[in-house]
Amino acid sequence: MQGKSRPPATAGEALSRMDHYVALGIVGQQEMAQLLGLNVTDLTCLGHVLGAGDTPLTAGDLAELVNLTTGAVTGVLNRLERAGYAHRQPDPADRRRVRVVADPQAAVRVFAVYQPFYDRLGALFADYTPDEIAVIADWFGRAAGEARAHLAQVRAGELDAGEA
């Protein structure tokens, strides 16, 4: 596959486009969550549970993935269970630990909401070469690491927003 010619862009322009995409994503996640009867944090956690596939996450794994405390994840899991989206099951290797499993019917509901968007993104990726997709994937992976580091600074009180 031959890559398409792309107009030049600066890092600042890329950051601006990212900001617009992220802002739209936040609004979109809120609307998706509302459609599914969840809040955004619970939907985010459910997304990780679904993404784990046949290897269910532990509650601790989930806490680490979403950067929440295990206590906060307990509340998330309680809400997801009440809403019928997921349930806890004992870890066969360590009965003191639980794994989180999505309800199959709930997965169908979530995929019905997200699949049209993923189909659109899939069509968009078709315009890129495998090497270009590798760069995009690398950037998102590395950017997520930077976001985690920044969030850790915010939570540690290392940043000062100044006086308003």
Side-chain angles (χ1 to χ4, degrees), residues 33-51:
Q34 186 176 17
L35 181 64
L36 293 165
L38 298 170
N39 67 48
V40 173
T41 300
D42 295 357
L43 178 59
T44 300
C45 289
L46 180 58
H48 284 294
V49 170
L50 291 168

Side-chain angles (χ1 to χ4, degrees), residues 19-93:
D19 285 345
H20 287 105
Y21 179 79
V22 168
L24 187 57
I26 290 168
V27 170
Q29 281 295 87
Q30 289 171 338
E31 293 197 19
M32 299 280 206
Q34 186 176 17
L35 181 64
L36 293 165
L38 298 170
N39 67 48
V40 173
T41 300
D42 295 357
L43 178 59
T44 300
C45 289
L46 180 58
H48 284 294
V49 170
L50 291 168
D54 294 334
T55 309
L57 300 171
T58 66
D61 294 336
L62 187 56
E64 188 175 321
L65 282 168
V66 294
N67 233 0
L68 293 174
T69 66
T70 54
V73 166
T74 296
V76 167
L77 295 179
N78 289 342
R79 289 188 298 274
L80 288 175
E81 283 183 324
R82 277 195 306 272
Y85 281 101
H87 63 275
R88 296 169 177 104
Q89 70 181 27
D91 185 325

Side-chain angles (χ1 to χ4, degrees), residues 1-4 6 122-133:
M1 168 197 243
Q2 189 80 15
K4 291 185 176 184
R6 312 225 186 268
L124 188 61
F125 275 125
D127 287 342
Y128 293 86
T129 67
D131 286 344
E132 289 172 324
I133 293 171

